[in-house]
Amino acid sequence: MSISTISVSKSVKELSADLEPISTWAVSQNECITKTFRIDGKNTQGMPSKVWSCNGGGQ
């Protein structure tokens, strides 16, 4: 392996580690939005209201 390949590999690993918290947050947001304002499986609110609620709106 050349030095540049090792550097790129290290950079990709660092970037992956940096993005992990964002990925975890995105999963939790998607779950919240999917489950928010559903009664008997029906969507009772629009997407903006769900996103607002899942991001702490109205507290």
Side-chain angles (χ1 to χ4, degrees):
M1 269 203 247
S2 70
I3 293 176
S4 63
T5 303
I6 293 170
S7 295
V8 169
S9 177
K10 183 178 178 185
S11 295
V12 169
K13 288 179 184 178
E14 289 171 354
L15 180 60
S16 177
D18 288 345
L19 291 177
E20 188 171 350
I22 296 170
S23 175
T24 301
W25 173 83
V27 168
S28 70
Q29 287 294 295
N30 286 337
E31 288 176 2
C32 179
I33 290 167
T34 299
K35 295 175 182 176
T36 299
F37 301 116
R38 290 195 175 268
I39 299 173
D40 295 330
K42 292 183 181 179
N43 179 355
T44 62
Q45 295 289 322
M47 186 62 69
S49 293
K50 290 181 172 197
V51 172
W52 180 74
S53 175
C54 290
N55 283 300
Q59 291 183 355

